[in-house]
Amino acid sequence: MIKKILQFLLVLVSYQGFSQETIKTYLSGTDKDHTKQWDFYCTAGPKSGVWTKIPVPSNWELQGFGSYNYGHDKDKAKEQGIYRHEFSTGKITGKKVFLVFEGAMTDTKVTVNGQLAGAVHQGGFYRFKYDITKLLKPAGKNLLEVTVDKMSANTSINNAERKSDFWVFGGIFRPVYLETVPDKFIERVAVNARADGSFALDVYAQHLSTGDVIEAQVKKLNGENVGKAFSIKADPTDSTQHLKSAFSHPLLWSSEFPNRYQVVVKIKNKQNTLHQIKQKFGFRTLDLRNGDGFYVNGAKMILKGVNRHSFWPETGRTLSKAVHLMDVQLMKEMNMNAVRMSHYPPDAEFLDVCDSLGLYVINELTGWQAKYDNTVGHRLVKELVVRDVNHPSIIFWANGNEGGFNTDLDNDYALYDPQKRTVIHPWEKFNGTDTKHYPDYNYMVKAATSGQEVFFPTEFMHALYDGGAGAALDDFWNQILVHPHAAGGFIWALVDENVIRTDKNNIYDGDGNHAPDGIVGPHREKEGSFYAIKEIWSPVFVDLPKIDQNFNGQISIANRFAFTGLDKCTFKWKLLNFPAAVATETKAAIVASGTATSNLKPGTKGTLFLNLPATWAQSNALYLTAYGPDQKEIFTWSWPISTAQSIAGKQEKTTSGLSVKTEENGQSLLVKQDGNTYYFDKTTGYLEKVIKSATTISLSKGPLLAGVNTVLKNFSFKTEGQKTTVESDYQGQGNLHAKWTFEPGKLVKLEYTFNQQGDADFMGITFNYPEDKITGVKYLGRGPYRVWKNRLKGPQFGLWHKDYNNSITGETWGYPEFKGYYSEVNWVVIENKEAPFKVYIADGDTYLQLYRPAREAAALSNNNVEPAFPDGSIGFLKGISAIGTKFQAASSMGPQSQKNKTDGKTFSGTLLFDFTH
């Protein structure tokens, strides 16, 4: 009996809640990791022609059906997917039931129990719904049948969506659910909450009666009331009910402080609450000021943004909250504050994460270099804005992209957006904005005087391959910061869109060089540019190029936050010592540590006092880490303290006192020291190999002047006392003098000087070592990522160990890559299959070159993203090459991207080789 009473009470409670709030019942799964099996039939391609099962939501290509197509309408894939699913609703007397699709590609025909639910929906990235109340059976199962055409019957949709420069898929790729509401219900609301506390609410309700009241109560997210409830008498003749109120000193929403509230909206009569909904929102004011900039809550804003495709390699555009959260956290980790939806509306859940964690969003109507016609365009704008209008994160609406602008739609956004957010045309000057795509450096310099538009390129710093968007960003960003009416910019793009091909043995496919455009890989593997961006876009700017004998523990800093005082941040420093090259361990020892404080307000500069111990100069390195108010790292800056010269100087002595001997054997000169024999070719002057006991170490063909044609003019050797020297002189397009010194009890020393004419991609000396014999390196320098001349920021000074790999950025994702240039290297251990050897670099301005990165399989014909490298495999260089982007050669990307100046300069260096320990 008690059990029956409890069941009755449970039903009663459920019914009361059911009568007042919207009930959402999923017919599909909720995301890529939580799906439901529906019956499915595909009309063409693999697994077609038979009824089977498919997970919903999903893109059917990733489930092995149909055909893959990377945009541009190449394959003209016309397959259909036919879905069937049975569901029950129970009794629905006095209720309305809506069938909601969050997204289906592309034309979607829906029937319930054999009857058409409504017009065929056209457009692949938009929420749509049908009132199916009258189509439902009062009891038993209901049959849902959905036919999805991958290609649209509307030509403009195919042009805008499916000829685009991104993967185009098919299927019900977002969730499907029922919304059950009372017969008298609130369809939706639109909030306009401003920084001054003013609050306006548009309520769209159905079937209101005279005497009904619309009531609203603003609350904190924990349910605590904020102010009093406010209400109006309903006007049944008006489709929209307008409520207003005001609040004193609300907590404002911004990317730095994403404070949110909720409003509970009710339809009430004298006896009951008939229906209620809850809507989250934020108080904030957006202001685009011509000839000035973009303002949020009265503060000038510099947008540090990225373009983000909704993408996961195994599931296409079917994602999950975990993926959305991962992407936003990665952006925040890079010190970004903005994201552009490219080139379609994202999952609503992604916008929820942007709201909660704080990212400014440009939300975009689909249209890549082609536009929707008016027939579908007006409807799709409404579907876009109605779904997303209440997200405080959204700061602009983008009406298409790169010429895909139907200007007849420009004024539609304001019809549904009481905030009247600015509509932009990404790529052109429009509506007070200049969103130029892929400007070169000269455009950045001239943009300040070219007009009054607020300047923020919605695509720049293209991240194809290892330029990765960090290359040249420092120069570009310095121009943004001095531009009188700049508002930042958006990097292309966040993620490499390489899909797992179910029809090609699960290989990664980026459609050549179309898809590997990301700062991170398809599974969010971090590339080198991730850390360059993190440093350049740090809201705490540190101005300390290097530490020298004049350093007094004071660091010039600037607060580049918009709202955050540095008193809300934490600064921690530590002094480190690193193990020697001969040691087996790699972990640094912390010598001392401490904290520092700053009270700098946003937009101001000052000095950070570290209060280091008097013995600080005896350490190897200084690290300084800034943490934000959320206690997450903003960036860690690092500086070497011990100079490369001093480190090398401590290594000169060996344990052996054996005398040095020389021997001539045909064209070879043999020098014997400490049990090792060094072979020199007298006709070239090069070291050809080193014999250690019975082991050959195949270091050869050096020192060679990199990239310059020279010939040997003189080769000589001599012994003075216990010291033997071997010298080579080369002349030609450049001059190189190399001097080897062999002396008992000391490491082998190579001193070199060179000069050359003209500008050079790289300059220095190289050696050869067989790539098939190398296994890894250990080195003291900046790492673990490689650098380019125009991407030196990001890597940390430390002791790094790297196993050999042949990773190709954007194709294999084995990061950090092994091959490339490394900066501020003090010493390196070349690990190999023969015998490891060490090289100490006795000057601090030398780069280490490790081989030549493998060529991308689909590299661009313009060669912008494959910089020049020396022919030698291991180099010690005084200058390295810059890298360009997909659309610009390095030469057009600013001062740091220019070739190295060599005229009239003599360069010198000293290396110590240890083949013994």
Side-chain angles (χ1 to χ4, degrees):
M1 182 68 181
I2 294 176
K3 184 177 180 181
K4 290 184 178 179
I5 292 173
L6 290 173
Q7 289 175 337
F8 173 77
L9 291 173
L10 180 61
V11 170
L12 182 62
V13 169
S14 299
Y15 179 80
Q16 290 297 319
F18 178 78
S19 67
Q20 294 179 12
E21 296 184 354
T22 301
I23 300 299
K24 180 183 287 189
T25 306
Y26 281 93
L27 303 184
S28 71
T30 55
D31 60 31
K32 76 178 183 67
D33 301 318
H34 305 88
T35 61
K36 290 184 180 178
Q37 295 290 318
W38 286 16
D39 295 329
F40 183 68
Y41 182 99
C42 191
T43 62
K47 298 169 66 173
S48 64
V50 295
W51 280 99
T52 181
K53 299 285 186 179
I54 194 171
V56 181
S58 70
N59 288 123
W60 63 53
E61 297 85 352
L62 281 303
Q63 304 303 319
F65 299 93
S67 56
Y68 287 82
N69 178 17
Y70 184 91
H72 309 299
D73 202 21
K74 291 194 299 291
D75 298 328
K76 295 191 178 298
K78 295 183 178 180
E79 68 261 21
Q80 282 184 330
I82 303 171
Y83 298 79
R84 289 177 180 170
H85 180 69
E86 288 187 333
F87 66 96
S88 301
T89 62
K91 293 183 178 180
I92 56 170
T93 305
K95 310 299 175 188
K96 281 193 172 295
V97 180
F98 293 91
L99 175 62
V100 184
F101 290 77
E102 286 291 327
M105 297 171 173
T106 299
D107 286 4
T108 309
K109 177 184 176 182
V110 181
T111 64
V112 177
N113 296 324
Q115 299 183 67
L116 197 63
V120 173
H121 184 271
Q122 297 179 316
F125 298 96
Y126 306 88
R127 175 191 290 169
F128 58 98
K129 63 172 64 177
Y130 300 105
D131 182 349
I132 62 170
T133 310
K134 295 181 180 179
L135 305 182
L136 296 172
K137 295 178 180 179
K141 297 286 187 179
N142 296 280
L143 177 62
L144 171 63
E145 296 175 290
V146 184
T147 300
V148 179
D149 287 274
K150 188 169 179 177
M151 297 289 290
S152 177
N154 182 293
T155 300
S156 77
I157 288 180
N158 292 326
N159 291 338
E161 296 185 9
R162 308 199 68 82
K163 288 186 178 180
S164 300
D165 187 10
F166 48 79
W167 286 105
V168 289
F169 298 112
I172 302 172
F173 72 104
R174 289 175 180 164
V176 182
Y177 53 90
L178 301 178
E179 280 185 347
T180 305
V181 297
D183 184 63
K184 188 176 292 189
F185 67 98
I186 300 167
E187 180 182 348
R188 58 188 171 90
V189 298
V191 174
N192 184 11
R194 298 179 61 80
D196 62 3
S198 62
F199 181 90
L201 181 70
D202 294 341
V203 180
Y204 297 83
Q206 298 291 326
H207 307 149
L208 296 177
S209 304
T210 301
D212 289 343
V213 172
I214 306 296
E215 179 185 275
Q217 173 67 62
V218 172
K219 297 173 177 282
K220 295 180 181 179
L221 296 189
N222 64 7
E224 179 184 342
N225 287 345
V226 177
K228 296 181 179 180
F230 51 100
S231 62
I232 60 168
K233 292 181 179 180
D235 180 358
T237 66
D238 194 341
S239 62
T240 310
Q241 313 296 308
H242 305 279
L243 287 78
K244 291 185 178 181
S245 189
F247 299 87
S248 298
H249 308 295
L251 297 175
L252 303 185
W253 188 95
S254 68
S255 68
E256 296 173 29
F257 297 100
N259 299 299
R260 290 183 299 160
Y261 294 84
Q262 62 179 330
V263 58
V264 179
V265 188
K266 300 178 180 179
I267 303 175
K268 301 175 71 174
N269 60 21
K270 292 182 180 180
Q271 292 80 30
N272 299 302
T273 295
L274 306 177
H275 187 220
Q276 72 174 24
I277 66 170
K278 296 177 182 178
Q279 178 61 58
K280 295 176 182 178
F281 70 94
F283 286 95
R284 58 105 180 90
T285 297
L286 310 175
D287 189 9
L288 187 77
R289 302 180 187 176
N290 191 41
D292 186 356
F294 175 63
Y295 287 75
V296 176
N297 302 333
K300 192 169 186 178
M301 192 58 54
I302 300 296
L303 301 171
K304 299 177 292 185
V306 71
N307 289 267
R308 186 249 192 185
H309 271 298
S310 300
F311 183 81
W312 190 253
E314 285 86 359
T315 58
R317 309 228 182 275
T318 301
L319 305 181
S320 65
K321 185 173 182 179
V323 172
H324 301 318
L325 186 62
M326 181 191 311
D327 284 356
V328 172
Q329 288 175 334
L330 284 169
M331 295 178 216
K332 299 286 283 189
E333 187 180 347
M334 280 187 281
N335 291 312
M336 294 176 173
N337 63 6
V339 60
R340 174 182 170 223
M341 302 297 95
S342 47
H343 298 289
Y344 40 79
D347 299 72
E349 198 169 40
F350 177 76
L351 298 174
D352 291 337
V353 177
C354 292
D355 292 343
S356 63
L357 296 187
L359 274 182
Y360 301 116
V361 175
I362 298 177
N363 204 0
E364 188 158 294
L365 186 78
T366 313
W368 185 84
Q369 299 189 3
K371 61 189 177 183
Y372 293 127
D373 63 23
N374 285 357
T375 301
V376 295
H378 290 298
R379 173 177 54 80
L380 295 178
V381 170
K382 181 178 181 180
E383 291 176 355
L384 165 65
V385 180
V386 163
R387 191 197 74 166
D388 295 342
V389 66
N390 294 313
H391 290 284
S393 56
I394 295 175
I395 57 174
F396 295 108
W397 305 110
N399 186 22
N401 173 63
E402 291 188 355
F405 319 127
N406 182 343
T407 57
D408 290 346
L409 309 180
D410 286 330
N411 295 328
D412 282 17
Y413 296 83
L415 298 176
Y416 316 106
D417 178 15
Q419 299 177 34
K420 311 302 180 192
R421 280 166 277 210
T422 299
V423 175
I424 65 172
H425 289 173
W427 189 44
E428 72 173 8
K429 293 182 179 180
F430 175 73
N431 218 3
T433 68
D434 178 0
T435 55
K436 168 77 173 178
H437 281 189
Y438 305 108
D440 62 15
Y441 183 77
N442 287 337
Y443 188 98
M444 299 293 292
V445 172
K446 295 176 182 177
T449 58
S450 64
Q452 291 299 299
E453 294 87 2
V454 177
F455 177 61
F456 56 103
T458 40
E459 292 180 29
F460 81 138
M461 313 311 298
H462 199 289
L464 178 68
Y465 300 141
D466 196 41
L473 178 62
D474 199 28
D475 281 337
F476 273 64
W477 203 246
N478 288 336
Q479 289 301 310
I480 286 283
L481 294 177
V482 299
H483 194 301
H485 41 95
F490 291 77
I491 290 171
W492 186 272
L494 179 65
V495 177
D496 289 332
E497 289 181 82
N498 294 62
V499 68
I500 301 290
R501 291 291 295 262
T502 55
D503 60 340
K504 292 185 177 181
N505 200 30
N506 292 328
I507 66 167
Y508 282 92
D509 183 7
D511 196 56
N513 56 43
H514 286 131
D517 294 349
I519 303 165
V520 298
H523 289 105
R524 283 44 174 182
E525 302 89 342
K526 295 175 182 177
E527 299 175 12
S529 281
F530 184 97
Y531 299 96
I533 295 165
K534 181 179 177 73
E535 179 173 2
I536 294 165
W537 278 358
S538 168
V540 177
F541 176 74
V542 168
D543 187 9
L544 183 63
K546 63 179 181 179
I547 289 178
D548 58 24
Q549 65 274 17
N550 298 317
F551 180 59
N552 58 4
Q554 300 180 17
I555 298 177
S556 296
I557 62 172
N559 182 349
R560 292 180 174 175
F561 281 107
F563 303 104
T564 305
L566 294 192
D567 58 323
K568 300 294 193 298
C569 298
T570 304
F571 295 89
K572 296 182 179 180
W573 59 262
K574 55 187 176 181
L575 294 168
L576 302 174
N577 280 340
F578 300 107
V582 295
T584 56
E585 69 272 15
T586 59
K587 186 177 180 180
I590 300 176
V591 178
S593 62
T595 61
T597 59
S598 173
N599 293 315
L600 285 180
K601 298 192 178 302
T604 62
K605 300 178 181 179
T607 303
L608 191 68
F609 298 90
L610 299 189
N611 296 315
L612 300 177
T615 56
W616 68 268
Q618 299 175 19
S619 303
N620 293 157
L622 168 66
Y623 281 16
L624 172 66
T625 304
Y627 299 91
D630 58 2
Q631 297 307 305
K632 293 182 179 178
E633 181 199 68
I634 296 173
F635 193 73
T636 295
W637 297 267
S638 55
W639 299 270
I641 296 174
S642 300
T643 65
Q645 292 93 327
S646 66
I647 293 176
K650 296 175 183 178
Q651 312 302 325
E652 287 197 11
K653 292 186 178 180
T654 69
T655 57
S656 173
L658 296 176
S659 61
V660 178
K661 296 181 180 180
T662 61
E663 175 186 331
E664 292 186 78
N665 183 358
Q667 68 178 28
S668 296
L669 170 69
L670 283 62
V671 181
K672 299 180 179 181
Q673 180 199 24
D674 288 345
N676 299 327
T677 303
Y678 300 83
Y679 284 75
F680 290 90
D681 186 330
K682 295 189 292 184
T683 65
T684 63
Y686 298 149
L687 177 70
E688 284 301 321
K689 61 183 176 181
V690 179
I691 303 296
K692 177 182 179 180
S693 299
T695 301
T696 298
I697 302 173
S698 304
L699 186 68
S700 65
K701 295 293 187 293
L704 171 71
L705 190 56
V708 177
N709 291 324
T710 60
V711 294
L712 180 66
K713 291 298 183 182
N714 183 59
F715 177 82
S716 63
F717 65 95
K718 63 182 177 181
T719 299
E720 295 179 339
Q722 292 186 311
K723 181 188 298 185
T724 296
T725 59
V726 178
E727 298 187 61
S728 303
D729 284 289
Y730 302 86
Q731 295 178 359
Q733 294 176 333
N735 299 301
L736 169 66
H737 175 75
K739 178 182 178 182
W740 296 86
T741 301
F742 300 87
E743 192 171 359
K746 292 188 176 182
L747 299 182
V748 176
K749 180 189 293 185
L750 170 62
E751 299 169 281
Y752 62 93
T753 61
F754 69 89
N755 60 66
Q756 59 193 74
Q757 300 298 312
D759 297 341
D761 290 305
F762 48 80
M763 51 192 185
I765 62 169
T766 64
F767 294 83
N768 277 354
Y769 189 81
E771 186 175 339
D772 61 354
K773 296 183 184 297
I774 196 160
T775 59
V777 292
K778 182 173 70 172
Y779 71 96
L780 180 64
R782 292 207 175 267
Y785 287 87
R786 65 192 184 193
V787 298
W788 305 105
K789 183 175 184 289
N790 54 356
R791 196 188 74 189
L792 295 177
K793 291 190 172 180
Q796 188 175 88
F797 185 83
L799 178 52
W800 306 101
H801 180 269
K802 300 177 68 169
D803 291 328
Y804 169 84
N805 66 49
N806 195 27
S807 293
I808 301 175
T809 312
E811 291 184 16
T812 56
W813 305 287
Y815 303 140
E817 303 93 337
F818 182 84
K819 299 177 178 181
Y821 300 124
Y822 296 87
S823 63
E824 292 190 59
V825 177
N826 285 204
W827 53 258
V828 59
V829 179
I830 304 296
E831 299 174 342
N832 58 74
K833 298 174 183 177
E834 297 175 329
F837 61 92
K838 306 172 187 66
V839 185
Y840 296 91
I841 303 170
D843 38 274
D845 61 348
T846 298
Y847 298 92
L848 172 68
Q849 173 221 341
L850 292 176
Y851 297 89
R852 176 198 298 265
R855 182 177 176 83
E856 283 82 5
L860 298 169
S861 59
N862 62 27
N863 209 35
N864 287 346
V865 295
E866 293 198 302
F869 265 80
D871 291 331
S873 52
I874 298 177
F876 303 92
L877 308 177
K878 298 300 181 179
I880 60 174
S881 51
I883 190 170
T885 74
K886 183 173 185 177
F887 300 114
Q888 284 105 2
S891 59
S892 66
M893 298 295 285
Q896 295 178 38
S897 302
Q898 304 310 301
K899 293 186 177 184
N900 300 283
K901 301 292 183 182
T902 66
D903 289 344
K905 297 181 181 178
T906 297
F907 301 89
S908 63
T910 300
L911 306 175
L912 301 177
F913 290 82
D914 184 354
F915 296 94
T916 302
H917 293 95

